[in-house]
């Protein structure tokens, strides 16, 4: 009798593969996995070791991956109330609905471990794709584990789509839908510099997040292009929320109060910064100019209306879903093991009323 091929050659591991490798019956494997029957510790250890070795997934929805059910796309987002990437999720969901697909949303809570765990959970659930929104964490271990999950999703007939973050390094089967993040920050910093500002408080975001790193690089590059010294002491890292914008400006007004403009990493951060300036008795833009990033509806609702960088978030979501649908339509031979695809959408500055040339003002202490 010929020996069964290893699951790595045959595709998705089955419960029979686990039973044969562990040297037990299929019924014994089922008892271990279900947890509803008493089994010996030795049997449980043996079966679970094989489950890990074969990367076996017990999957009630696997039929959908073979075209037997409704495809489901999982949208993983840091914060479901965050306006910017909520628009990406809207784009994904709208494009999925047009194709008769289902969508589900999970939140990572700005926790890289939870993010990785959710990607693995969605793989186990047999979704057609996992769409991961927002900046990545700049840790080697995180990148390696995400690459492993991308390959595991691909082997299971699913696909990883990264939206708003750099592609994974190496030959990883994942699609990246990004935007010109650094270029947007360069254009916005250039706008401030061309208005005459030289001392700019920069609030790029969390230091470990690739989104913030790109925005800081863009700002620094603009200063270099204009021949203006860039002061690292005017950089304040922190979360993309209004509290950070408020606190960072309050601290800067006491530590380095000679800044004449604020370059905020998001429109929400800009709103918090604007509130802090008003609390300190400073006018926008007469005393301090301020700019944001994202161009969410809030930007045009502030007083004054906020000059910001427009990011095509909803279109990014539609492009992400379209890329998944195109891969599935291409057939398994095209889909599995294919090199990653990197799509980049443009950004541009939206000029409103929050910037004017700097005016001299006294030191605050």
């Amino acid at each position: 009798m010929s020996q069964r091929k290893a699951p790595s050659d045959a595709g998705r591991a089955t419960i029979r593969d686990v039973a044969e490798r562990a040297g037990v019956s299929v019924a014994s494997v089922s008892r271990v996995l279900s947890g509803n029957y008493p089994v010996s510790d030795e049997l449980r250890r043996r079966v679970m070791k094989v489950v890990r070795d074969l990367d076996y997934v017990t999957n009630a929805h696997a039929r959908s991956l073979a075209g037997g059910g409704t495809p489901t796309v999982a949208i993983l987002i840091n914060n479901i109330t965050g306006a910017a990437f909520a628009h990406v999720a809207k784009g994904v969901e709208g494009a999925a609905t047009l194709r008769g697909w289902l969508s589900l949303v999970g939140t990572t809570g700005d926790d890289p471990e939870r993010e990785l765990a959710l990607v693995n959970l969605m793989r186990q659930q047999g979704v057609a794709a996992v769409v991961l929104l927002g900046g990545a964490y700049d840790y080697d271990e995180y990148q390696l584990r995400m690459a492993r999950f991308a390959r595991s999703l691909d082997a299971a007939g699913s696909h990883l789509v990264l939206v708003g973050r750099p592609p994974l390094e190496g030959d990883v089967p994942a699609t990246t839908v990004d935007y010109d993040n650094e270029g947007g920050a360069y254009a916005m910093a250039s706008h401030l510099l061309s208005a005459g500002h030289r001392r700019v408080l920069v609030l790029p975001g969390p230091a470990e997040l690739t989104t913030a790193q790109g925005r800081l690089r863009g700002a620094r590059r603009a200063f270099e292009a204009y021949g203006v010294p860039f002061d690292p002491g005017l950089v304040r890292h922190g979360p993309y929320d209004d509290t950070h914008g408020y606190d960072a400006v309050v601290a800067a007004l006491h530590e380095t109060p000679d800044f004449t403009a604020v370059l905020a990493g998001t429109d929400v951060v800009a709103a918090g910064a604007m509130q802090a300036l008003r609390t300190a008795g400073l006018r926008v833009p007469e005393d301090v100019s301020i700019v944001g990033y994202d161009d969410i509806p809030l930007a045009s609702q502030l007083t004054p209306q906020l000059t910001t960088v427009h990011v095509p978030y909803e279109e990014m979501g539609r492009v992400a879903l379209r890329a998944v649908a195109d891969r599935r339509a291409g057939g398994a031979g095209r889909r599995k093991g294919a090199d990653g695809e990197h799509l980049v959408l443009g950004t541009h500055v939206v000029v409103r009323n929050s910037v004017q040339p700097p005016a001299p003002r006294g030191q605050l202490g």
Side-chain angles (χ1 to χ4, degrees):
M1 185 175 180
S2 61
Q3 190 173 9
R4 180 186 294 269
K5 288 184 178 181
S8 58
D9 296 329
R12 177 190 289 269
T14 67
I15 193 170
R16 291 185 181 278
D17 295 323
V18 175
E20 290 183 9
R21 181 74 68 87
V24 299
S25 67
V26 170
S28 294
V29 175
S30 179
R31 291 189 187 100
V32 170
L33 296 178
S34 69
N36 295 328
Y37 300 91
V39 296
S40 68
D41 291 341
E42 190 279 331
L43 175 61
R44 184 180 303 279
R45 281 194 298 270
R46 189 195 319 172
V47 169
M48 293 311 297
K49 181 181 184 303
V50 173
V51 166
R52 290 190 296 272
D53 290 346
L54 297 185
D55 196 24
Y56 172 70
V57 176
T58 161
N59 180 10
H61 305 292
R63 291 186 302 274
S64 68
L65 296 176
T70 301
T72 300
V73 57
I75 305 166
L76 303 187
I77 188 170
N78 172 36
N79 182 348
I80 199 168
T81 63
F85 284 103
H87 286 281
V88 182
K90 179 182 178 182
V92 174
E93 196 278 334
T97 299
L98 288 175
R99 290 169 170 81
W101 293 21
L102 298 176
S103 301
L104 58 87
V105 177
T107 58
T108 65
D110 202 24
D111 181 350
E113 290 300 319
R114 176 168 171 77
E115 181 177 276
L116 289 162
L118 281 172
V119 172
N120 190 40
L121 177 62
M122 293 304 101
R123 177 183 67 92
Q124 294 174 10
Q125 292 299 312
V127 297
V130 175
V131 180
L132 189 54
L133 311 184
Y137 298 91
D138 192 19
Y139 306 131
D140 289 342
E141 181 183 357
Y142 169 87
Q143 297 290 333
L144 289 171
R145 289 173 65 186
M146 190 60 71
R148 187 175 75 242
F149 283 136
R151 295 186 179 97
S152 183
L153 283 164
D154 185 71
S158 185
H159 191 59
L160 179 65
V161 184
L162 308 174
V163 178
R165 63 175 63 193
L168 296 168
E169 295 183 1
D171 182 18
V172 180
T175 295
T176 302
V177 180
D178 203 358
Y179 58 99
D180 190 6
N181 180 37
E182 183 174 332
Y186 176 89
M188 183 54 77
S190 297
H191 181 70
L192 289 174
L193 290 163
S194 66
H197 294 280
R198 296 296 181 264
R199 299 285 291 169
V200 179
L201 178 66
V202 182
L203 313 178
E208 70 278 7
L209 208 60
T210 55
T211 306
Q213 293 168 5
R215 292 178 189 181
L216 181 56
R217 281 196 307 271
R220 294 182 70 110
R221 189 158 57 86
F223 274 75
E224 182 179 349
Y226 275 73
V228 176
F230 183 86
D231 184 0
L234 284 173
V235 177
R236 301 284 195 282
H237 289 287
Y240 285 134
D241 58 35
D242 58 342
T243 300
H244 168 60
Y246 186 95
D247 292 344
V249 167
V250 169
L253 286 172
H254 287 86
E255 297 165 7
T256 53
D258 61 335
F259 65 91
T260 62
V262 179
L263 196 165
T266 70
D267 297 339
V268 173
V269 173
M274 193 178 291
Q275 183 182 4
L277 291 168
R278 287 207 180 96
T279 300
L282 296 171
R283 300 165 300 166
V284 178
E286 291 84 358
D287 298 312
V288 180
S289 292
I290 187 164
V291 297
Y293 204 114
D294 288 336
D295 195 25
I296 61 174
L298 172 70
S300 60
Q301 296 164 1
L302 293 170
T303 303
Q305 293 184 321
L306 187 67
T307 293
T308 187
V309 176
H310 177 78
V311 181
Y313 285 120
E314 193 166 335
E315 177 61 17
M316 288 166 64
R318 289 191 289 266
V319 169
L321 198 283
R322 193 181 309 132
V324 173
D326 288 347
R327 290 175 69 90
R328 287 175 63 85
R334 173 183 171 184
R335 199 168 62 238
K336 291 167 71 76
D339 292 338
E341 184 179 19
H342 189 191
L343 307 170
V344 180
L345 281 66
T347 57
H348 63 269
V349 172
V350 178
V351 177
R352 295 194 176 100
N353 306 319
S354 62
V355 175
Q356 71 176 37
R361 60 186 177 91
Q363 298 280 311
L364 298 179

